[in-house]
Amino acid sequence: MLHFKRANANLAAAAISLLSAVSFSSYADTASFNFATSILDLPVVEVLNGKDSSSWNAQLKLVDAVNFEFELTTASVIAPVTGQRVVFDATTSAVHIPAISIGADEYYAKLKLIPGSNPLRFSLDQFVNNAFQGCPAFSVDGPVNGSCVLSGEIKQNITLTKNTQWILSGGVFIGGDKVDNATLTINPGTKIFGQQGADYLWIRRGSKIMSEGTPDNPVVMTGPLQQSAGEWGGLVLAGFAPVNGCNVDVALCEVAFEAITSEFYGGNEPNDNSGVLKYTQILFAGFAVRPDEELNGLTLTGVGAGTVIDFVHVHAGLDDGVEMFGGTAQMKHMLLTHIGDDSLDWGGGWRGKAQYVVVQQAADDGDRGIEADNNPDNPDSGPRSKPVLSNMTMLGSAVGSQGALLRRGTGVEIWNSVFTGFGSSCLEIDGEATYLNAGTPEALSGELLIVHSYVDCATNFADGNGATFAVSDWFAAQMMNQEADPVLNGYLPGDGSLLPTGGAPVAGDAFFDSVSYVGAFATANDDWTKEWTYAY
């Protein structure tokens, strides 16, 4: 704890000086409105489609001045353009316009697609001055001009905008648990700071976060110094999806969170929706909220499959990068770098999905790429953890332990993935319940599966406690697995790599893109981490 106390004092002293140095640059106009013709001209619109996108020139006409509705009149494909631009995100049906000048002022505008409209129509959802306008009623003035402080429970819908430095003070809870539901909307380019360690953001059951970053304007959640792990707590989402750990005769399993036992998660709604996390950075989190109880960068407790988690970078977390406590949360395009403990961690019956995951350990810190549990007290507790994971690139270091430790009765399906460079082993299975759940290499149950995957560590396999077969035999018995050099250039496929043609689509699951490559990237030119991530 001495380490954390000293860190807390240092952070408190440095917070104000850092925030005083933060400034917000004016954006060049990305749109213009002609009052004479009622035409909204959008020279560059990037239309997002997963990790792919297309660029367009478009014009919209104001056709309803009372309800501020615009109709698409022209659109033509153009070459891709970098820098500030308008972005249309089909996931949220939103058009984000970073800057449009009206008179002497510059504004951010958000349009929402009107469902079923033909020709396409959009309504004005937000129109926000890009200059600081003072602190709204749900916050108080911060320590420097342009900053506002959030604290305690917030039981109303609120929006955080990029024209303000938002500072968390202690635990900030959105909504009540199962009552007073609220939605937290976070606009593109917004920055949120934990100021001194035990500051964190918690989305309670029934409430939502809409963190709607864009490739050119990601949402950033970080600590005051942005230098070391554990500068603030992190982001927690709680949902109503199924979890385990209750007695078998309990109809509705609800569990208290291990670090803050007054907060609960879990329920009977596998498709529960806790909102959207897109193009979001979570940096330098993981402070211990009490002795030996650190938060993770991103903690998902009973989060359901209706939640959108896509293009999220967790960097330099003191504890885990992303940890699932049960639920059915699904995610894509996850970058987990320099995590102090386990990069991807699950337990409590997580039965979610993930595609395109990159783990890159630091040379001097980090434990496991994956730490996978069902339940530590009852390894056979149901629902049993069994996520489906595809297209992962796990880059370990000599100080790291396992690429994946599968233990405590977990199940899993791993497709099209790479484990390389981990100090102890690439893959380890531990615990009698985990081995029994897998079957045997001669008669696999399908509950513990790895296919079309590469391992390349000094020691590829380790047999843990209660072993009933050799992990090497289990790996070799499954389709198209390789003990071989994946030939990487950093985290991308290198020249001569067989990864671009060595995979297979995950069968029968619409969540997964149908791809036939191994690892998180199709080719050396398919780097979906560009532009929106933190430069580490």
Side-chain angles (χ1 to χ4, degrees):
M1 280 299 295
L2 181 60
H3 164 76
F4 296 120
K5 289 178 180 176
R6 288 176 177 169
N8 190 42
N10 292 337
L11 290 172
I16 292 178
S17 62
L18 176 85
L19 290 170
S20 300
V22 174
S23 63
F24 296 95
S25 300
S26 177
Y27 298 98
D29 278 357
T30 51
S32 61
F33 183 72
N34 187 315
F35 286 90
T37 61
S38 298
I39 294 294
L40 178 63
D41 184 42
L42 308 176
V44 180
V45 182
E46 182 179 17
V47 178
L48 303 179
N49 179 25
K51 62 186 177 66
D52 300 317
S53 67
S54 55
S55 295
W56 298 73
N57 173 280
Q59 290 187 333
L60 288 78
K61 184 178 179 65
L62 179 63
V63 293
D64 184 340
V66 175
N67 296 306
F68 289 98
E69 292 185 1
F70 295 81
E71 186 173 284
L72 181 66
T73 57
T74 63
S76 56
V77 177
I78 61 174
V81 176
T82 58
Q84 293 295 305
R85 56 199 182 271
V86 176
V87 172
F88 173 68
D89 190 339
T91 302
T92 57
S93 301
V95 177
H96 300 283
I97 303 174
I100 181 170
S101 292
I102 303 294
D105 292 329
E106 179 188 271
Y107 295 85
Y108 159 81
K110 178 181 178 181
L111 308 179
K112 293 282 286 187
L113 177 65
I114 298 174
S117 58
N118 186 16
L120 297 180
R121 280 197 179 194
F122 301 83
S123 60
L124 182 65
D125 185 73
Q126 286 189 48
F127 196 65
V128 181
N129 198 307
N130 277 341
F132 179 65
Q133 300 295 300
C135 294
F138 58 80
S139 64
V140 298
D141 291 345
V144 297
N145 185 47
S147 68
C148 301
V149 177
L150 305 172
S151 62
E153 294 182 317
I154 299 175
K155 297 181 178 180
Q156 60 177 304
N157 296 340
I158 66 171
T159 299
L160 304 186
T161 53
K162 68 182 178 183
N163 59 7
T164 300
Q165 302 168 48
W166 299 99
I167 300 171
L168 305 177
S169 178
V172 177
F173 297 88
I174 304 302
D177 184 32
K178 302 193 290 186
V179 296
D180 300 322
N181 298 339
T183 296
L184 168 64
T185 298
I186 308 175
N187 284 354
T190 299
K191 292 181 173 62
I192 302 170
F193 297 88
Q195 60 180 341
Q196 49 181 328
D199 305 321
Y200 52 88
L201 180 59
W202 196 295
I203 314 301
R204 283 177 167 151
R205 290 187 292 182
S207 293
K208 292 182 180 179
I209 183 171
M210 301 296 291
S211 181
E212 300 181 55
T214 59
D216 54 333
N217 286 297
V219 170
V220 178
M221 304 179 189
T222 188
L225 301 180
Q226 302 185 80
Q227 293 177 354
S228 58
E231 293 186 10
W232 68 295
L235 174 62
V236 183
L237 276 60
F240 289 114
V243 300
N244 70 29
C246 298
N247 294 331
V248 293
D249 57 347
V250 174
L252 180 66
C253 187
E254 299 176 293
V255 179
F257 184 64
E258 60 184 17
I260 303 174
T261 56
S262 60
E263 296 297 319
F264 286 81
Y265 60 92
N268 288 334
E269 301 177 25
N271 292 317
D272 186 38
N273 182 355
S274 293
V276 171
L277 287 177
K278 288 202 74 176
Y279 295 102
T280 297
Q281 301 173 11
I282 305 172
L283 313 175
F284 306 105
F287 189 84
V289 294
R290 62 180 190 174
D292 300 319
E293 293 287 0
E294 300 90 0
L295 291 178
N296 308 294
L298 175 60
T299 304
L300 304 174
T301 66
V303 172
T307 308
V308 174
I309 303 172
D310 200 4
F311 296 98
V312 175
H313 184 188
V314 183
H315 176 70
L318 186 64
D319 195 43
D320 299 331
V322 182
E323 183 167 6
M324 278 66 64
F325 293 80
T328 53
Q330 303 179 158
M331 60 199 74
K332 286 183 176 178
H333 304 104
M334 305 294 291
L335 179 61
L336 312 176
T337 56
H338 297 195
I339 303 302
D341 194 16
D342 309 313
S343 296
L344 189 67
D345 193 331
W346 72 76
W350 181 47
R351 297 182 69 85
K353 301 167 187 176
Q355 187 175 27
Y356 314 122
V357 178
V358 176
V359 165
Q360 191 163 43
Q361 290 190 325
D364 59 353
D365 197 12
D367 194 1
R368 301 177 177 109
I370 292 174
E371 182 177 275
D373 298 344
N374 181 43
N375 188 286
D377 300 317
N378 178 4
D380 294 315
S381 182
R384 187 188 296 272
S385 295
K386 190 190 176 185
V388 183
L389 315 174
S390 187
N391 300 101
M392 301 186 296
T393 298
M394 299 266 175
L395 306 179
S397 69
V399 301
S401 53
Q402 300 93 351
L405 174 62
L406 311 176
R407 65 181 190 180
R408 295 174 173 172
T410 195
V412 70
E413 291 186 24
I414 298 174
W415 294 66
N416 306 319
S417 295
V418 175
F419 298 85
T420 183
F422 289 90
S424 295
S425 64
C426 276
L427 300 175
E428 179 176 342
I429 298 175
D430 181 72
E432 182 181 8
T434 319
Y435 281 95
L436 292 177
N437 186 45
T440 67
E442 298 77 24
L444 294 168
S445 67
E447 294 298 304
L448 200 70
L449 174 150
I450 184 168
V451 294
H452 294 273
S453 294
Y454 278 68
V455 292
D456 183 32
C457 299
T459 300
N460 282 331
F461 309 108
D463 304 333
N465 296 324
T468 58
F469 55 78
V471 176
S472 58
D473 293 340
W474 168 79
F475 182 81
Q478 300 179 76
M479 290 187 301
M480 302 299 293
N481 289 331
Q482 304 285 332
E483 288 188 72
D485 182 354
V487 188
L488 295 172
N489 180 12
Y491 49 63
L492 297 167
D495 292 341
S497 175
L498 299 179
L499 298 183
T501 59
V506 177
D509 195 319
F511 168 80
F512 291 95
D513 297 335
S514 182
V515 299
S516 297
Y517 55 87
V518 178
F521 306 95
T523 68
N525 298 317
D526 178 41
D527 188 354
W528 46 259
T529 71
K530 286 183 176 179
E531 187 178 22
W532 64 274
T533 55
Y534 177 76
Y536 61 97

